[in-house]
C-alpha cells in the first residue's frame, strides 16, 4: 500500500483534510499500516487453519509464512 493509496482511501472516506497537516498524514499512514497488518494476519491465520485441519500441504504453510513476511518488508 503506497502513501497515495492511503491518501486516496482517506479522501474517499471523508477523513482527509485538504489543508496540509503532517501530523494527520502520519496518523492516517499509521492507521492504514495497522489495518493492513491485521488483514495480513487474518489471512495467514486462515492458511494456518487450513493446514492444521483440512489440507496438510506444505504450500499452505508456506503461504502463511509469505503473508506474514510481507509485513516485515
Amino acid at each position: 500500500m503506497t502513501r497515495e493509496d492511503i491518501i486516496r482511501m482517506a479522501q474517499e472516506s471523508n477523513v482527509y483534510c485538504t489543508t496540509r497537516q503532517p501530523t494527520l498524514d502520519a496518523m492516517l499512514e499509521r492507521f492504514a499500516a495497522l489495518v493492513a497488518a491485521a488483514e495480513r494476519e487474518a489471512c495467514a491465520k486462515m492458511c494456518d487453519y487450513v493446514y492444521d485441519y483440512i489440507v496438510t500441504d506444505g504450500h499452505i504453510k508456506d503461504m502463511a509464512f509469505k503473508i506474514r513476511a510481507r509485513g516485515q518488508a
Side-chain angles (χ1 to χ4, degrees):
M1 184 176 311
T2 66
R3 185 175 191 284
E4 290 75 26
D5 292 335
I6 296 165
I7 291 170
R8 179 187 48 75
M9 287 185 282
Q11 288 170 331
E12 289 175 11
S13 63
N14 295 322
V15 244
Y16 187 75
C17 227
T18 54
T19 310
R20 187 81 177 125
Q21 295 179 354
T23 305
L24 179 60
D25 289 351
M27 288 179 356
L28 288 171
E29 287 179 22
R30 178 69 182 138
F31 176 72
L34 291 170
V35 170
E39 185 66 16
R40 279 192 306 273
E41 185 56 26
C43 292
K45 283 182 179 180
M46 181 56 72
C47 290
D48 290 340
Y49 177 85
V50 169
Y51 177 79
D52 291 342
Y53 298 103
I54 300 171
V55 180
T56 56
D57 183 346
H59 288 73
I60 301 291
K61 201 66 169 168
D62 188 49
M63 285 173 26
F65 176 78
K66 287 180 180 180
I67 290 168
R68 288 186 176 107
R70 289 193 69 184
Q72 306 301 319

